[in-house]
Amino acid sequence: MSNGAYAAAYEQSISDPSAFWGKAAESIEWITPPEKVLDDSNPPFYRWFAGGTLNTCFNALDRHVRDGRGGQIALFYDSPVTGYRSEYTYGELLEQVSRFAGGLRNLGIEKGDRVVIYMPMVPEAVIAMLACARLGAIHSVVFGGFAPAELSARIEDAAPKVVVSASCGIEPNRTIPYKPMLDAGIERSTHKPERVVMLQRPQAEAEMTARDIDWNELMAGADPVDCVEVAATDPLYILYTSGTTGRPKGIVRDNGGHAVALRWSMENVYDVKPGEVWFTASDVGWVVGHSYIVYAPLLTGATTILYEGKPVGTPDAGAFWRIIAEYGAVAMFTAPTAYRAIKRDDPKAALLEGHDISHLRNVFLAGERLDPDTYHWANDVLHCEVVDNWWQTETGWPIAANLRGLDPMPIKPGSPSVRVPGYDVQVLDEYGQDAPRGQDGAIAIKLPLPPGTLPTLWQDDERYVTSYLSAYPGYYLTGDGGMIDEDGYVFVMGRTDDVLNVAGHRLSTGSIEAALAGHSAVAECAVIGVHDDFKGQIPRGLVVLKGGYDPDLEGEKIKKELIQRVRDEVGAVASLKQVDIVAALPKTRSGKILRKTMREIADGKVPSIPGTIEDVGVLDALTDTLKATQH
Ligand code: COA
Ligand code: AMP
């Protein structure tokens, strides 16, 4: 490991976090400077920058306009699915955001109110997020690919006063009307938002009701409003993420720690400076979109690209190269699956021809494991550094990375490199002791977590503690397994729980199981995530039918209905293609379904069979079915 800038920064961040983050906080403009950098008076709840006040939108927009960046492009919008492009200078974005904030205020939105944003990749989604930040309202963006069940669970928990949505999303092969899904999501929730702001898109306009108000009308009737002062510890947003159960976890992000950490990460991890162009191909509905399409680049005074398209098929596997070349991006960020898709369609990267991407310094990949094959391919064709980084919705920014702006170090394929300053990452054995270097275990982070990470779950301190902090007291459990090698490189091998990661999309086995269990023929079911060369992982369903249903006669029809149900309830992103009807599911004597054992069999590994298994015959009977993966 390097003994240079990284080692010094890491050491200080752990031994004297207040000094380290106190210095980083100078990059943010505060209304009242924090009284205390780290408030550790109430463990295991730690708070950063207590006593400080600021406004995140001010730091992302107003401040740059005041300091002379008003004419710089803040956001390029490029939408191959509609053939539309536009651009917003910092000055223009500020005008739109402060006006939309005025519109939200006219609808009664005040500091602390929740606003759900259910939108595709359009600039208005960014405008709505920043407008909430401006008012001190708490946004909760729901990924546009989620169907009513997922949407409704989020509306129920966040209890928004207003929902901001658009009439449709556009996939390469179809237009997806959002309004029917939104109406169904609200219908199912006991909480009813007062108003829905609807952005009408010409590809499919929504039918409006008395509750709905047109985006343009709201804007026309609104005056720009100023930033509202909020506490560093006030929530900026809630982003729901999938756990193992069907009930999503409301990850809370505060204002102060988030602004400091993201600003720091942009230069130190991603090596992007004010004025530079940066391209993140993800979705504003995921944490990568929140942090690295919206907040980090804007807090930095950089230019961000909002891309409404896919890595392939819109129109081809050269789409990313076109964007990088045309807008002059110095770095890009996406999920490894996107690169696997490009490699599959254009293995020799022939579509690079004609695109000058010589200014591209780094390609960052995260969201799932970066397999060495994909790493080598990208590295060979792009002639720039391909950099893995590991993190999660909960942390909001990288836990392990190769810090390109601080102290770039050699890359080891298969590893996201080293622990990022602020994260005291440890690998623990089954007894909760530090595992020796090179030995696999549970990856945990010694408390306190650094700024920008979750302080708790939305209105559920207890679940925060039970989900993350109780397995190993004093540590945050990441849910990932892996090891740290002799050189301090972290290797992340995958989730140790039942959370799914499908094409970089985090999904819950519990949600998919709930959709399957809702079918009238299903007595019992289990969903497992199995390895897939393209998407990393895909779900498989195993269902036991109720008495009276004949698998031979009705099985095929039921399977089709089940697959459709998951698309309709959870969303097509679940990518459930294979459901098998089985006689019984393997369980422990206390009734816990052995998903991990089934997953190991399906992946061709030696299964770990717990001694508490109820009936090993059930597992034996399933083995052939599990091994028959249809893809
Ligand atoms: N709204 C509605 N539907 C969506 C959607 C959205 N925002 N995003 C995806 N879907 C649909 C797709 O159209 C597809 O539907 P289909 O089954 O009818 O074909 C289904 O969900 C599965 O989508 P996906 O898993 O994305 O597979 P794909 O084959 O369509 O595309 C990739 C594969 C690699 C191109 C795509 O997964 C991708 O761009 N991945 C990048 C990962 C990423 O951005 N991760 C975010 C975290 S960094
Ligand atoms: P999400 O919360 O959607 O960002 O998903 C977080 C999960 O994705 C992590 O817990 C990991 O399982 C996985 N993940 C993200 N980045 C990486 C990476 N670089 N390497 C391995 N796994 C990753």
Side-chain angles (χ1 to χ4, degrees):
M1 197 195 324
S2 150
N3 288 318
Y6 163 72
Y10 186 76
E11 199 282 319
Q12 191 199 22
S13 76
I14 302 303
S15 64
D16 191 356
S18 293
F20 185 83
W21 292 112
K23 174 93 187 109
E26 290 170 12
S27 64
I28 293 302
E29 201 159 307
W30 301 87
I31 301 170
T32 315
E35 283 158 19
K36 214 165 180 191
V37 176
L38 171 61
D39 175 1
D40 55 3
S41 58
N42 182 28
F45 298 92
Y46 295 88
R47 302 311 310 253
W48 290 94
F49 307 114
T53 65
L54 76 163
N55 183 280
T56 296
C57 179
F58 179 87
N59 276 279
L61 298 177
D62 305 57
R63 168 185 193 187
H64 303 310
V65 173
R66 182 199 63 197
D67 295 347
R69 290 192 187 279
Q72 179 194 315
I73 303 295
L75 184 147
F76 285 115
Y77 169 52
D78 190 298
S79 170
V81 292
T82 59
Y84 193 76
R85 294 179 198 202
S86 60
E87 56 189 49
Y88 295 75
T89 62
Y90 269 97
E92 287 162 348
L93 195 55
L94 174 59
E95 208 282 321
Q96 294 282 307
V97 167
S98 45
R99 191 171 292 281
F100 192 67
L104 287 177
R105 177 163 295 158
N106 289 347
L107 298 181
I109 294 295
E110 298 292 344
K111 179 168 151 179
D113 287 337
R114 272 83 58 213
V115 175
V116 160
I117 300 172
Y118 180 56
M119 294 183 101
M121 287 286 285
V122 290
E124 286 81 358
V126 180
I127 292 169
M129 290 166 79
L130 292 166
C132 290
R134 194 169 189 82
L135 294 175
I138 304 165
H139 63 68
S140 186
V141 183
V142 179
F143 173 56
F146 279 138
E150 294 291 324
L151 179 57
S152 136
R154 287 155 174 80
I155 293 175
E156 187 79 60
D157 198 68
K161 209 180 236 182
V162 167
V163 176
V164 183
S165 189
S167 57
C168 63
I170 297 146
E171 285 296 285
N173 54 358
R174 64 195 189 283
T175 298
I176 298 163
Y178 276 23
K179 187 75 184 334
M181 287 195 283
L182 177 59
D183 287 344
I186 294 175
E187 174 70 33
R188 289 171 184 215
S189 162
T190 58
H191 172 83
K192 308 290 178 199
E194 289 165 21
R195 303 303 298 268
V196 171
V197 181
M198 183 58 61
L199 175 76
Q200 292 284 20
R201 303 188 81 189
Q203 293 78 8
E205 295 216 349
E207 252 179 58
M208 305 286 273
T209 64
R211 183 197 57 200
D212 309 327
I213 175 160
D214 183 278
W215 174 287
N216 292 330
E217 250 175 63
L218 186 76
M219 286 293 253
D223 291 322
V225 294
D226 246 339
C227 293
V228 171
E229 179 174 1
V230 300
T233 50
D234 280 341
L236 168 69
Y237 69 74
I238 310 165
L239 178 57
Y240 287 88
T241 191
S242 301
T244 46
T245 70
R247 195 161 68 90
K249 293 172 172 163
I251 305 301
V252 174
R253 194 80 61 215
D254 66 13
N255 276 275
H258 173 256
V260 172
L262 261 56
R263 178 71 186 85
W264 186 89
S265 74
M266 204 59 192
E267 287 197 51
N268 289 282
V269 177
Y270 297 106
D271 188 27
V272 174
K273 295 174 192 63
E276 292 190 319
V277 182
W278 155 259
F279 171 33
T280 296
S282 175
D283 190 288
V284 286
W286 304 112
V287 71
V288 173
H290 278 63
S291 293
Y292 295 105
I293 295 174
V294 184
Y295 286 110
L298 298 180
L299 285 164
T300 302
T303 297
T304 189
I305 300 170
L306 185 80
Y307 173 66
E308 190 182 23
K310 303 276 173 180
V312 295
T314 57
D316 57 30
F320 283 0
W321 321 143
R322 171 184 71 79
I323 298 269
I324 293 164
E326 277 183 24
Y327 299 104
V330 297
M332 86 156 290
F333 188 167
T334 191
T337 312
Y339 270 72
R340 287 198 292 271
I342 297 171
K343 178 177 161 218
R344 188 166 76 173
D345 276 20
D346 184 19
K348 296 209 159 68
L351 293 165
L352 262 170
E353 183 77 33
H355 297 299
D356 178 5
I357 62 160
S358 54
H359 46 274
L360 185 72
R361 297 196 290 260
N362 291 299
V363 169
F364 295 94
L365 298 173
E368 53 171 329
R369 182 163 181 268
L370 172 57
D371 53 288
D373 275 359
T374 307
Y375 163 79
H376 285 299
W377 180 83
N379 219 32
D380 290 350
V381 302
L382 293 176
H383 307 294
C384 75
E385 289 294 351
V386 175
V387 186
D388 189 0
N389 52 122
W390 166 61
W391 48 293
Q392 9 181 250
T393 307
E394 288 84 345
T395 65
W397 63 288
I399 309 168
N402 199 301
L403 292 104
R404 306 310 292 173
L406 179 69
D407 190 4
M409 50 187 73
I411 284 173
K412 293 193 188 189
S415 164
S417 298
V418 297
R419 300 178 288 189
V420 168
Y423 291 96
D424 189 354
V425 182
Q426 306 286 343
V427 174
L428 303 180
D429 66 17
E430 56 193 308
Y431 307 106
Q433 304 296 320
D434 279 357
R437 287 282 161 114
Q439 187 178 301
D440 276 349
I443 311 184
I445 306 169
K446 201 162 185 205
L447 297 176
L449 294 174
T453 56
L454 80 170
T456 189
L457 294 178
W458 176 245
Q459 294 187 328
D460 207 343
D461 286 349
E462 198 183 314
R463 191 175 180 205
Y464 171 57
V465 173
T466 51
S467 303
Y468 300 107
L469 307 182
S470 56
Y472 303 107
Y475 289 87
Y476 164 87
L477 187 70
T478 64
D480 283 305
M483 61 109 169
I484 302 180
D485 77 2
E486 292 294 340
D487 299 322
Y489 280 62
V490 181
F491 286 76
V492 183
M493 302 318 291
R495 300 286 305 192
T496 54
D497 53 19
D498 293 319
V499 167
L500 300 169
N501 191 322
V502 182
H505 306 314
R506 180 160 157 186
L507 299 161
S508 120
T509 41
S511 302
I512 303 177
E513 285 173 1
L516 295 176
H519 189 288
S520 54
V522 173
E524 219 182 0
C525 65
V527 167
I528 56 170
V530 299
H531 174 79
D532 180 76
D533 284 342
F534 176 48
K535 295 197 176 185
Q537 209 178 32
I538 46 164
R540 276 184 63 182
L542 298 142
V543 302
V544 179
L545 297 185
K546 285 182 183 156
Y549 288 94
D550 182 342
D552 291 332
L553 284 179
E554 299 161 283
E556 288 311 311
K557 178 173 162 282
I558 293 173
K559 284 190 214 172
K560 279 202 188 100
E561 287 168 2
L562 287 170
I563 288 169
Q564 190 59 42
R565 252 189 91 78
V566 170
R567 286 178 74 88
D568 294 345
E569 294 277 307
V570 180
V573 275
S575 299
L576 180 73
K577 301 273 193 284
Q578 185 178 353
V579 175
D580 290 297
I581 294 175
V582 298
L585 293 169
K587 290 181 190 161
T588 61
R589 282 193 285 275
S590 59
K592 194 171 168 294
I593 296 176
L594 297 173
R595 291 186 189 79
K596 181 164 169 246
T597 312
M598 291 195 282
R599 196 166 72 206
E600 287 164 344
I601 296 174
D603 284 344
K605 294 185 184 150
V606 179
S608 44
I609 304 173
T612 52
I613 189 164
E614 189 185 36
D615 177 358
V616 81
V618 171
L619 196 62
D620 292 343
L622 268 184
T623 301
D624 286 345
T625 307
L626 286 169
K627 285 185 174 163
T629 302
Q630 300 159 2
H631 61 95

